[in-house]
Amino acid sequence: MWKTMIERCMQCGRCSAACPVAPFMDMPPHKWVYYARNGEGERVQNAGAIWQCLSCFCCEARCPRGVKPAQLAEEKRALSNKVVLLESLSEHVIENMPQQLLVAALRKAR
């Protein structure tokens, strides 16, 4: 699902050690990858840590296996924004909106 090869993660914790805001997060970067890899992506989605991520990519630079936790956080934020957009649209608007327009709106929400 994610373009970041999360299955390659060996949970060494270097990404979390390199992250300048990891001490202030409710879930450090290596845990994002752990939960996403084990099918608990919603747990990552609901964590406040993905909104605290600076996208500085220090975690990616330190990873010996090329895993990209910052990219995972960005994708989870984009998905969360799309969910908020859909929830904000009324049922009447969705039913009467052309399908192509709805898909275009979701793509641009990223």
Side-chain angles (χ1 to χ4, degrees):
M1 183 174 185
W2 296 285
K3 296 172 187 156
T4 169
M5 301 175 296
I6 59 175
E7 68 278 354
R8 296 186 66 191
C9 179
M10 60 183 179
Q11 291 293 300
C12 65
R14 288 183 184 180
C15 56
S16 296
C19 179
V21 292
F24 310 104
M25 293 180 169
D26 58 346
M27 182 186 299
H30 74 280
K31 288 291 185 184
W32 307 343
V33 177
Y34 174 79
Y35 290 128
R37 188 177 68 192
N38 291 316
E40 296 182 58
E42 193 168 315
R43 190 170 182 174
V44 178
Q45 184 84 28
N46 296 330
I50 63 168
W51 298 103
Q52 294 169 320
C53 174
L54 301 174
S55 296
C56 64
F57 305 106
C58 287
C59 55
E60 295 181 13
R62 294 280 296 157
C63 182
R65 295 219 162 159
V67 179
K68 301 178 179 180
Q71 185 178 356
L72 177 63
E74 287 181 352
E75 290 175 6
K76 288 295 185 180
R77 286 191 296 244
L79 180 62
S80 181
N81 288 337
K82 288 179 183 181
V83 168
V84 169
L85 175 66
L86 277 177
E87 289 174 351
S88 68
L89 294 174
S90 70
E91 191 174 313
H92 174 72
V93 171
I94 292 175
E95 288 176 2
N96 296 318
M97 184 183 289
Q99 186 176 11
Q100 186 176 3
L101 182 62
L102 182 62
V103 171
L106 287 174
R107 284 187 183 150
K108 291 180 182 177
R110 186 173 181 151

